[in-house]
Amino acid sequence: MAKVTLTVNGRRVSEDCDDRMLLVHFIRDKLGLTGTHVGCDTTQCGTCVVHMDGRSVKSCSVLAVQAAGSDVTTIEGLAAQGDLHPVQAAFKEHHGLQCGFCTPGMVMTAVDMIHRHGGQLDEATVRHELEGNICRCTGYHNIVKAVLAANADMQAGREAAE
């Protein structure tokens, strides 16, 4: 057994867990944050994407003990004071979800993608970067539209702040 201490969604947490426990199970089972989904457990589907120290990771490929001391953000940590994050709002507005199972991972991947590319995204880049996230319902078209719309909104917000 290991004691794992990390910051999740701005809150410091410390829990005992098996040395082999995956971060996705730590988040869901130990912390009760079930927005991070378990899909394939083999890094193929992307439903478990969270941000660890500011970068997206598939939490089914990280042991909880490897995340000790890290700052982790889950889908529950994106919304600020009840307002949807711009990417969440764009998914809603542009119908970027159907069953919703892949949505948390898609949103977390999109947020990281937008930050890494500094607002400079095109459709080909978005489609390429979403290859690690599987959606069986939407055909990706509206997901790509949502990511591009959120990118434009976030870029406009950055320019307005300057």
Side-chain angles (χ1 to χ4, degrees):
M1 278 292 212
K3 182 134 195 113
V4 176
T5 302
L6 59 153
T7 302
V8 178
N9 299 332
R11 183 175 63 97
R12 188 169 168 84
V13 296
S14 191
E15 293 285 339
D16 290 325
C17 69
D18 186 286
D19 295 341
R20 298 168 295 169
M21 179 176 263
L22 296 171
L23 180 58
V24 67
H25 296 297
F26 183 87
I27 290 167
R28 290 179 58 83
D29 301 340
K30 294 289 187 175
L31 305 180
L33 298 171
T34 57
T36 301
H37 293 164
V38 178
C40 64
D41 269 340
T42 61
T43 74
Q44 300 297 309
C45 72
T47 63
C48 67
V49 172
V50 299
H51 295 172
M52 188 167 88
D53 297 327
R55 296 201 45 104
S56 63
V57 298
K58 292 181 178 179
S59 60
C60 75
S61 67
V62 177
L63 295 171
V65 295
Q66 290 175 297
S70 295
D71 184 12
V72 174
T73 304
T74 69
I75 191 73
E76 291 93 344
L78 281 186
Q81 299 159 354
D83 294 328
L84 293 177
H85 183 279
V87 175
Q88 291 171 310
F91 267 67
K92 179 181 177 186
E93 181 180 338
H94 295 277
H95 310 289
L97 59 117
Q98 284 184 18
C99 81
F101 191 76
C102 73
T103 305
M106 289 284 189
V107 168
M108 298 304 286
T109 298
V111 170
D112 179 57
M113 181 190 326
I114 291 167
H115 287 304
R116 280 186 296 103
H117 287 277
Q120 303 300 312
L121 285 175
D122 57 28
E123 182 177 340
T125 302
V126 172
R127 287 186 180 278
H128 174 73
E129 294 230 2
L130 289 178
E131 285 180 359
N133 295 67
I134 296 173
C135 175
R136 296 185 185 268
C137 300
T138 68
Y140 296 91
H141 182 71
N142 287 346
I143 291 171
V144 173
K145 280 180 22 182
V147 173
L148 291 171
N151 179 63
D153 289 347
M154 291 170 72
Q155 183 65 24
R158 280 192 288 270
E159 291 171 0
E162 294 172 353

